[in-house]
């Protein structure tokens, strides 16, 4: 009965994913990762594609790798914030959040980094891939209590079986997910790093937009 209960939700999720229109490839020195961008977050999708076209993710680095949490790429927080400090009269540019309750931080999702701004708006040039851990019912129950929100049953099952970082839900915009190359993402998330989570050996990547399927 439990499997039947989740079947409609999983079928809806499968139909949603098959309808997405744009995919990109992270070409890294560890291998390739294909990421499908969500049409449900069209502004972040288009912003990311614009930054790719501008060259923001050409020979970029996964510059902060926290095992079983996330692999962050693009510009570092300090780089962005120091650049903004040089022109304090200019308002710091941020991209408006697109927080969707049906999109959640399961393993393999692509998110936009940000600082602690109250609007939860994103950086233009920082992304992360979710690694995360498998969650227990007790952990998810505690998170529900802490954040005073209910985790949908279908999402709960994914967090238990696949893993992710559920405590980020509702606070950061996610706008895509890995469809091929999860083993490469796992390899990147497992590299040796220093005390500041910077990989000891650079993990370089370029982003290529793939032709749309017809």
């Amino acid at each position: 009965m439990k499997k039947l209960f989740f079947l409609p939700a999983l079928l809806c999720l499968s139909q949603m994913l098959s309808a997405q229109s744009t995919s990109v490839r992270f070409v890294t020195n560890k291998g390739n990762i294909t990421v499908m961008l969500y049409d449900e977050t069209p502004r972040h999708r288009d912003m990311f594609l614009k930054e790719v076209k501008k060259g923001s993710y050409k020979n970029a680095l996964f510059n902060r790798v926290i095992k079983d949490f996330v692999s962050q790429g693009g510009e570092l927080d300090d780089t962005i914030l120091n650049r903004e400090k040089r022109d304090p009269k200019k308002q710091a540019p941020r991209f408006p959040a697109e927080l969707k309750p049906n999109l959640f931080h399961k393993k393999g999702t692509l998110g936009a980094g940000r600082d602690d701004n109250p609007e939860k708006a994103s950086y233009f040039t920082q992304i992360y891939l979710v690694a995360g851990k498998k969650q227990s019912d007790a952990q998810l129950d505690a998170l529900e209590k802490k954040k005073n929100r209910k985790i949908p049953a279908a999402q709960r099952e994914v967090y238990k079986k696949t893993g992710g970082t559920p405590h980020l839900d509702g606070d950061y915009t996610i706008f895509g997910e890995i469809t091929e190359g999860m083993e490469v993402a796992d390899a990147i998330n497992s590299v040796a790093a220093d005390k500041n989570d910077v990989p000891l050996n650079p993990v370089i990547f370029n982003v290529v937009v793939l032709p749309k399927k017809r």
Side-chain angles (χ1 to χ4, degrees):
M1 292 297 293
K2 194 171 185 180
K3 290 183 179 178
L4 290 176
F5 176 78
F6 289 111
L7 186 57
L10 293 175
L11 286 174
C12 289
L13 179 61
S14 176
Q15 291 171 353
M16 179 194 82
L17 296 182
S18 65
Q20 308 303 311
S21 62
T22 307
S23 289
V24 298
R25 179 167 294 142
F26 283 67
V27 180
T28 87
N29 56 342
K30 296 287 185 181
N32 295 341
I33 303 169
T34 301
V35 175
M36 175 184 60
L37 305 182
Y38 293 146
D39 291 337
E40 288 78 11
T41 48
R43 291 178 297 172
H44 272 73
R45 176 199 63 203
D46 293 347
M47 178 270 285
F48 180 67
L49 293 173
K50 183 177 180 180
E51 291 299 326
V52 169
K53 186 176 182 180
K54 285 169 58 178
S56 299
Y57 294 102
K58 183 176 182 180
N59 295 324
L61 295 173
F62 279 104
N63 46 39
R64 189 164 176 250
V65 173
I66 305 175
K67 187 171 175 56
D68 296 328
F69 181 49
V70 300
S71 301
Q72 177 184 291
E75 287 194 292
L76 285 167
D77 295 60
D78 288 347
T79 303
I80 297 170
L81 297 175
N82 287 336
R83 182 172 64 244
E84 294 171 353
K85 285 180 182 178
R86 291 197 292 268
D87 190 1
K89 294 182 180 180
K90 184 178 179 180
Q91 185 177 3
R94 297 289 181 270
F95 200 78
E98 289 181 283
L99 304 175
K100 307 289 185 178
N102 62 310
L103 302 178
F104 58 107
H105 283 79
K106 63 184 178 181
K107 178 181 172 71
T109 45
L110 171 70
R114 67 171 179 85
D115 58 3
D116 292 328
N117 69 88
E119 292 81 18
K120 302 178 181 179
S122 307
Y123 289 135
F124 282 77
T125 52
Q126 185 187 102
I127 53 88
Y128 60 89
L129 292 173
V130 173
K133 298 179 179 180
K134 292 182 180 180
Q135 305 291 312
S136 67
D137 278 317
Q139 289 173 311
L140 295 170
D141 290 344
L143 182 61
E144 286 183 336
K145 185 175 181 180
K146 180 179 180 180
K147 300 196 75 170
N148 192 29
R149 67 174 181 82
K150 188 71 175 174
I151 299 173
Q155 294 182 16
R156 177 180 278 260
E157 287 300 298
V158 173
Y159 279 132
K160 288 166 59 179
K161 294 178 180 179
T162 307
T165 55
H167 66 281
L168 297 181
D169 289 344
D171 289 322
Y172 292 79
T173 297
I174 50 174
F175 61 100
E177 67 176 78
I178 293 172
T179 55
E180 294 180 35
M182 189 72 78
E183 71 283 357
V184 177
D186 287 341
I188 291 171
N189 191 249
S190 298
V191 299
D194 65 18
K195 63 180 181 179
N196 296 314
D197 305 312
V198 177
L200 298 180
N201 295 306
V203 182
I204 304 167
F205 71 95
N206 291 275
V207 180
V208 178
V209 181
L210 299 178
K212 292 187 178 182
K213 295 180 179 179
R214 297 183 178 180

